[in-house]
Amino acid sequence: MSAGNRKGISLFALIMIGIGSIFGSGWLFGAGSAAQVAGPAAIVAWVLGAVFMGLIAMSYAEVGAAYPIPGGMARYGHISHGPVLGFLTGWAVWLAVAALIPIESIAATQYMSSWNFGWAHALFDDGAHQLTFAGQGVALVLTVALWLVCFWSVQFLARVNIALTLFKFVIPLLTVGALIASGFHTGNFSSAGGFAPYGWSAVLTAITTSGVVFAFNGFQAVVNLGGNAKDPGKAIPRALLGALALGLVIYLALQVAFVGAVPPEQLAAGGWHGVNFHSPFADLAKVLMLHWVVTMLQFGAFVSPAGSNIANVASSAYMVQNLAETGFFPRKLTQVHPVHGSARPAMWLNLGFSVVLLLAVGHSWNALAAVVSAVMVISYLIGPVAVGLFRVTKPDLPRPFRLPAAKVLCPLTFACAALALYWSKWPNTGLCVALTLIAVPVAAVVLLRRGERDLRRQLAPAWWMVGFLGWMALLSALGSKDFGGSGLLPNGLDMALVAVSAVGFYYLAIAAGLRAHRQGLPGPDPVLDTGRRATEPVQHQRLVPASRQPADLDA
């Protein structure tokens, strides 16, 4: 949507969107899941996860403030390296964001199964640790209902989300206070195997698989919807910092309260692996006889996912619009309702994807969150690369926010993202890499159908990403058993190899971007090329066959 179509979301509303996304279903499950994986050391996982996500968010703050395009995370790869990498990274972003829509409904359904009704208990199979057929049906109904909340307008999105966020913000705080007041067992932090009973590799695994990355991923709503703010350049970085800082404080409080409130006799029976609540805070409150907390949490399990899904539906619609504007999705998906301002064709596509994902693999929050988090990490890779590349290729680009020490932080952030992908554990890494790389043959087919004769030239800027993802899948399969691998690479050596090779791939990405810019593959810049409207489809011009392009294009 063009600058003239922005609805003028205020800074406060944008911060509420970020907080509302961060406090979706992640807080309902993250503390319980992380404690089960890493024990009390899950506290460290939240701190490390916040640092990692902060680095990612700040790289997107620079790019997002410079290019305040709604759904811009799906466009930055195109601006940096051209159409193929743009579609590849945009595809990953879309998969990650659109998958959040059904997972929030799954979360609400799992908490619903804690109600004191026979039909509610039938929604979740405790033995299989997954939703029953009836549970999936309820999650499907909730998915459609929450989707309808966003069907009307961007302004309605902001108003509703502020109200929901302010309300649901109180619920985790009351939960923390109630759990601590019920009897806080400080011995839980050192008993049952100590502070890190399953080793520090479990702490790293918890970052990706237990909902830490999933929870803090709410920052992307600020980037993707920040283009609708009144002053995107200032609003985006401020909203990111505010939402992430507040999120970390509350998630740490939730984790500490959960660890301290678990009855010691339950830890003595099976350790932290034995603390297996399918509705963590509600089940724990039942054990502690905190019935009013149970009721509050059961109600909050609807409010929290609803607030997050408002931003998820809007963000994923913008993703589809951007992919359609670059020519890889049907052009019809760019249409915006003339009255309500919502991208309804894109929203219908996302609803269809959500339904398929829910019915195919949406059996439990924990299982789906682990896979979605890995895809999220892949979608973050282009952020630090774009910052480093644009500092060289676009020195005159207006930057309302500049990432400090970018020459150091950009490769470091890329390496952190690679490590987080590795910590997702095999086979999650292999599955997510395969899902992402589907975009490459799709892009090739689209280019050929549009008459592109020099396909090799178009694909060249994307090979570094293909090679990187393939290399990561290989390392994950051969890595230490702590991260699901075969054990051929011992623990320590595997992570060192991931980090060092990631830095090498970062500089390969910069080199590929420089070549793509020399060849003109990214096309007109939405900001610097003032003779062209920022919202006009960029890629259709670049998809003209090479034989019919200007003779000086490769100069």
Side-chain angles (χ1 to χ4, degrees):
M1 298 172 66
S2 69
N5 289 331
R6 291 185 188 136
K7 301 299 182 181
I9 296 177
S10 67
L11 173 61
F12 178 72
L14 193 60
I15 293 175
M16 289 297 102
I17 288 172
I19 295 175
S21 296
I22 288 174
F23 290 103
S25 60
W27 82 266
L28 294 168
F29 291 91
S33 179
Q36 186 183 18
V37 171
I43 297 170
V44 180
W46 287 102
V47 175
L48 293 177
V51 171
F52 160 62
M53 295 301 288
L55 289 173
I56 292 289
M58 288 303 98
S59 65
Y60 276 106
E62 175 169 324
V63 180
Y67 294 99
I69 305 169
M73 287 181 68
R75 182 73 74 86
Y76 302 144
H78 179 105
I79 300 172
S80 65
H81 287 74
V84 177
L85 185 72
F87 179 59
L88 178 60
T89 56
W91 172 267
V93 174
W94 174 64
L95 287 177
V97 177
L100 296 176
I101 300 173
I103 202 172
E104 301 293 349
S105 299
I106 292 171
T109 305
Q110 279 192 221
Y111 262 76
M112 190 187 300
S113 67
S114 66
W115 292 2
N116 292 323
F117 301 102
W119 64 268
H121 296 320
L123 299 178
F124 194 86
D125 187 337
D126 291 323
H129 304 296
Q130 65 182 28
L131 294 178
T132 61
F133 181 77
Q136 283 190 298
V138 171
L140 178 61
V141 172
L142 291 177
T143 297
V144 175
L146 293 173
W147 175 84
L148 287 172
V149 173
C150 296
F151 198 64
W152 301 110
S153 77
V154 176
Q155 282 187 322
F156 180 68
L157 154 70
R159 289 195 297 267
V160 171
N161 192 69
I162 289 175
L164 288 175
T165 300
L166 290 175
F167 180 79
K168 73 180 184 179
F169 185 68
V170 177
I171 298 178
L173 294 179
L174 290 176
T175 301
V176 169
L179 291 179
I180 293 177
S182 67
F184 193 75
H185 308 289
T186 56
N188 287 359
F189 291 85
S190 56
S191 62
F195 183 72
Y198 309 115
W200 292 105
S201 60
V203 175
L204 301 177
T205 296
I207 293 175
T208 308
T209 64
S210 297
V212 177
V213 167
F214 178 88
F216 286 123
N217 178 67
F219 87 84
Q220 55 80 24
V222 174
V223 178
N224 291 319
L225 300 179
N228 287 317
K230 295 178 180 178
D231 187 354
K234 294 180 179 179
I236 291 175
R238 291 176 181 176
L240 284 172
L241 287 173
L244 287 172
L246 188 57
L248 174 60
V249 170
I250 297 181
Y251 272 114
L252 284 176
L254 286 165
Q255 188 66 70
V256 170
F258 184 90
V259 171
V262 173
E265 58 271 18
Q266 186 166 358
L267 286 179
W272 288 103
H273 282 342
V275 182
N276 189 18
F277 299 133
H278 64 264
S279 302
F281 282 109
D283 290 344
L284 182 57
K286 282 184 177 180
V287 172
L288 299 175
M289 305 296 289
L290 298 173
H291 299 297
W292 69 272
V293 176
V294 175
T295 302
M296 178 184 67
L297 288 168
Q298 289 170 342
F299 181 69
F302 281 93
V303 176
S304 294
S308 293
N309 253 0
I310 289 176
N312 294 336
V313 171
S315 294
S316 57
Y318 281 134
M319 300 298 180
V320 172
Q321 282 186 296
N322 277 282
L323 292 175
E325 287 177 350
T326 56
F328 290 100
F329 273 14
R331 180 69 177 160
K332 184 177 180 180
L333 296 174
T334 63
Q335 295 178 0
V336 176
H337 194 278
V339 176
H340 301 295
S342 55
R344 291 187 172 181
M347 292 174 68
W348 280 110
L349 174 65
N350 290 329
L351 178 63
F353 173 76
S354 300
V355 171
V356 171
L357 187 64
L358 192 155
L359 296 178
V361 296
H363 305 300
S364 72
W365 185 91
N366 298 73
L368 191 54
V371 176
V372 171
S373 296
V375 179
M376 288 175 181
V377 172
I378 294 176
S379 72
Y380 299 151
L381 294 171
I382 195 60
V385 171
V387 172
L389 180 63
F390 293 159
R391 290 289 183 92
V392 178
T393 60
K394 303 176 186 294
D396 298 328
L397 180 68
R399 291 175 173 85
F401 171 79
R402 292 181 65 91
L403 179 69
K407 290 184 179 180
V408 175
L409 290 181
C410 286
L412 176 63
T413 302
F414 190 89
C416 288
L419 287 168
L421 179 60
Y422 180 74
W423 298 335
S424 301
K425 301 181 72 171
W426 182 267
N428 287 342
T429 48
L431 173 62
C432 294
V433 165
L435 288 173
T436 303
L437 292 182
I438 289 174
V440 177
V442 172
V445 170
V446 171
L447 289 169
L448 288 173
R449 291 188 62 182
R450 290 186 176 275
E452 176 61 49
R453 298 179 184 177
D454 194 354
L455 193 61
R456 180 179 178 181
R457 173 175 170 273
Q458 293 282 355
L459 291 173
W463 285 129
W464 70 267
M465 176 68 87
V466 176
F468 171 75
L469 293 178
W471 174 245
M472 288 300 302
L474 177 63
L475 290 180
S476 182
L478 300 179
S480 67
K481 293 183 179 180
D482 291 334
F483 300 106
S486 65
L488 185 62
L489 295 173
N491 196 357
L493 176 62
D494 55 349
M495 289 189 287
L497 188 56
V498 169
V500 172
S501 62
V503 174
F505 274 104
Y506 169 82
Y507 288 108
L508 282 178
I510 298 298
L514 291 173
R515 288 193 296 270
H517 276 270
R518 285 195 294 267
Q519 296 177 359
L521 287 174
D525 187 280
V527 172
L528 296 178
D529 295 328
T530 55
R532 183 181 178 88
R533 290 180 55 192
T535 56
E536 188 177 347
V538 175
Q539 184 47 36
H540 288 311
Q541 229 183 36
R542 308 313 307 170
L543 292 179
V544 175
S547 60
R548 284 183 281 163
Q549 291 176 352
D552 62 342
L553 184 63
D554 295 322

